[in-house]
Amino acid sequence: MSKTVTLQTLLKMKAAGRKIAMMTAYDYTTASLLSASGMHVLLVGDSLGMVVQGHNSTLPVTLDEMIYHTKMVVRGSDGSMVVADLPFMTYQVSVEDALRSAGRLMSEAGVHAVKLEGGRQIAPTVRRLVDSGVPVMGHIGLTPQSVHALGGFSVQGKTAESARRLIEDALTLQEAGAFAVVLEVVPSQVSQAVTKRLTIPTIGIGAGPQCDGQVLVFHDFVGLTSGYIPKHNKQFAELAPIVRSAASQYIQEVADGTFPGKEQTISLSEDDQKWLSAIQEGDPYATGQ
Ligand code: KIV
């Protein structure tokens, strides 16, 4: 990618009606591939707790783990903007905690912006972060860090009251200085209403086509996750069967000796084999000279 994507780029894209593509990445290789494809934003999501670490929620992810993964993504990003999640309880207890956590992600890992879950209740924190030079992306609707409070990973904004709350939360985050808002698992008509009211971009996941951008979890996008596939996900590739079949073939070839073959084997020249024979025959001074 030639030009670095900044939050100003995203604001201009919304104003021009150009859609924003965001994808999660948790390591250098994936970040490099996605950046080279022109991905506007790489999100080091705390979803890594589920798709990389194997937990059943995002709650166990620590700030040190986020910093570890974010460093790799930043190294692989070439022009894409990198946003990282502040993990559970690293910003909810106090504004000072939020400043310290975001500060570490920016200074130690080199991230360009942080993402926080929540609406009006975290607006004062968003304000302080933004005033301190930390660009903030909001995240409302289904907020996975509140999975137990929400009673599961369920659709949000399905009633008049919760839709109104969602719109107000989005406006409050914009007012507090957020430069974009993720809308997760929200009916498309509600995200359309939010998108129309905001001057900052909305980035949807399971929130319909009217959002200003879309985000997917990388492992879902390339078909690497097994088990439950959310309705909103589209597998743009199906890598799991390819990896499984390659692994079976490898095991078979190791077992029957066809791997490694001649092409994968490093051999000594016939001359050099002479000093090897000498060593094998017990000559301690064999040099191959
Ligand atoms: O953690 C994550 O990957 C996210 C996206 C699903 C938006 O927050």
Side-chain angles (χ1 to χ4, degrees), residues 84 90 100 134 144 147 195 212 255:
T90 64
R100 263 190 293 273
V134 180
V147 59
T195 303
D212 298 304

Side-chain angles (χ1 to χ4, degrees), residues 22 24 26 43-48 58 85 115 117 139 142 144 182-184 203-205 215-218 232:
M22 177 158 103
T24 67
Y26 315 107
L43 171 67
V44 191
D46 59 359
S47 51
L48 71 85
T58 59
D85 272 335
K115 178 162 78 58
E117 294 183 9
H139 182 160
L142 169 55
V182 167
L183 301 177
E184 180 162 356
I203 304 197
I205 175 161
V215 54
L216 283 179
V217 169
F218 177 78
H232 60 257

